[in-house]
Amino acid sequence: MPLIPEEPQIHESAQGPRATPASGRTAPTPRPVPGPRPAAPSRPGRPGPPRPAPPAQRTSREAAPAATPGPSHPSAAADGPQIQLIPASVEGALDAAEEAVDLLLDSGRAPGDVLVITTGEQHPWATHELSFGEASYWAQHDAGDDVFYTDAQVADRARTRPVVVVAVNGGPKSVTASALKSAHARAGALLIVCGDPQRINSVLGAGV
């Protein structure tokens, strides 16, 4: 079933848009996120020798007024994850995914609950961590204590997590289809897809 973009809303327990845009970006429109979860602990440090700070690392968030909760997406199957579509251009899909992750963490999701998959260019965090070698990169995935970013080409190696976010930021349709299939199989509760709805629905056809 084709996905229908939702009105940009968030749960009443989630933090709203920040008063000051992060990383110089324009303040985002609120995005849909799941219901409340127990408060997440501070994002843990990484063991081993000191490293340069990875790109786009989040440190703190500012409080903002809560918004009205949005409805559940009708595309979610009874025995599968809830599916949410966040409309975004190819160029803006990665930023939209980042904002979705911010709102998930603001709502109380633990960082280790979230997996992010890109279909085009890798997320800067993944590029940074892979510079230290694949063994170290995948060790962080196996530790499961932080948001993990991976590429669609190797997403099948990732384990199931409660929430999977897909940034459709480029790549051929075959890669997008593979990423959506892997993401759907690995999302325990929620699958968020950020990208152009027409492009996504043309890949999904009758559904994931």
Side-chain angles (χ1 to χ4, degrees):
M1 178 186 296
L3 300 181
I4 303 173
E6 294 184 355
E7 289 297 322
Q9 297 174 315
I10 60 174
H11 193 276
E12 59 188 356
S13 67
Q15 303 282 352
R18 290 181 291 273
T20 303
S23 304
R25 293 202 301 266
T26 302
T29 301
R31 305 294 186 185
V33 295
R37 295 292 187 279
S42 299
R43 299 188 70 177
R46 307 196 186 286
R51 296 180 178 179
Q57 185 174 0
R58 289 173 291 275
T59 55
S60 63
R61 294 172 178 75
E62 300 177 9
T68 305
S72 297
H73 198 289
S75 296
D79 58 348
Q82 178 186 1
I83 302 174
Q84 294 180 352
L85 173 61
I86 297 178
S89 65
V90 171
E91 296 78 14
L94 197 55
D95 281 345
E98 277 289 278
E99 297 301 336
V101 171
D102 283 343
L103 288 172
L104 286 163
L105 300 183
D106 286 343
S107 74
R109 278 286 183 185
D113 283 354
V114 184
L115 171 68
V116 180
I117 300 173
T118 56
T119 64
E121 185 178 354
Q122 285 185 329
H123 187 279
W125 182 92
T127 302
H128 174 84
E129 294 300 326
L130 281 167
S131 69
F132 297 99
E134 287 201 11
S136 173
Y137 171 74
W138 286 105
Q140 294 185 55
H141 165 269
D142 295 341
D145 57 10
D146 206 349
V147 179
F148 190 77
Y149 299 84
T150 192
D151 183 84
Q153 304 283 4
V154 293
D156 285 344
R157 185 171 172 179
R159 296 177 181 172
T160 299
R161 291 198 178 192
V163 183
V164 178
V165 180
V166 179
V168 183
N169 62 329
K173 285 187 176 182
S174 59
V175 173
T176 299
S178 175
L180 293 174
K181 182 177 179 180
S182 294
H184 190 268
R186 283 157 181 75
L190 177 64
L191 170 59
I192 300 175
V193 184
C194 305
D196 175 56
Q198 184 175 359
R199 176 185 175 90
I200 293 168
N201 283 321
S202 70
V203 171
L204 291 177
V208 177

XYZ file of all heavy atoms in Angstrom, residues 1 7 12-13 62 171 190:
53
model
N 0.849 -1.197 0.000
C 0.000 0.000 0.000
C 0.877 1.236 0.000
O 1.773 1.345 0.816
C -0.899 -0.007 1.241
C -1.779 1.235 1.349
S -2.685 1.238 2.917
C -3.683 -0.228 2.679
N 0.536 14.796 8.344
C 0.755 16.163 8.785
C 1.883 16.167 9.797
O 1.952 15.270 10.639
C -0.531 16.719 9.433
C -1.646 16.982 8.433
C -1.266 18.036 7.417
O -0.587 19.003 7.813
O -1.619 17.891 6.239
N 2.605 14.504 22.467
C 2.621 15.552 23.474
C 3.793 15.456 24.420
O 4.182 16.451 25.041
C 1.327 15.510 24.287
C 1.105 14.169 24.998
C -0.264 14.096 25.630
O -0.987 15.108 25.579
O -0.606 13.040 26.163
N 4.407 14.264 24.529
C 5.539 14.123 25.436
C 6.852 14.477 24.775
O 7.880 14.539 25.410
C 5.619 12.671 25.940
O 5.938 11.821 24.881
N 17.244 21.806 23.805
C 16.535 22.841 24.536
C 15.055 22.508 24.594
O 14.474 22.001 23.644
C 16.721 24.191 23.840
C 18.194 24.595 23.758
C 18.371 25.886 23.001
O 17.354 26.530 22.701
O 19.522 26.238 22.723
N 20.961 7.142 -4.758
C 21.152 5.741 -5.099
C 20.087 5.240 -6.058
O 19.012 5.837 -6.166
N 8.810 0.727 15.003
C 8.563 1.896 14.158
C 9.571 1.983 13.020
O 10.774 1.828 13.229
C 8.652 3.168 15.012
C 8.480 4.515 14.296
C 7.075 4.649 13.710
C 8.746 5.666 15.263
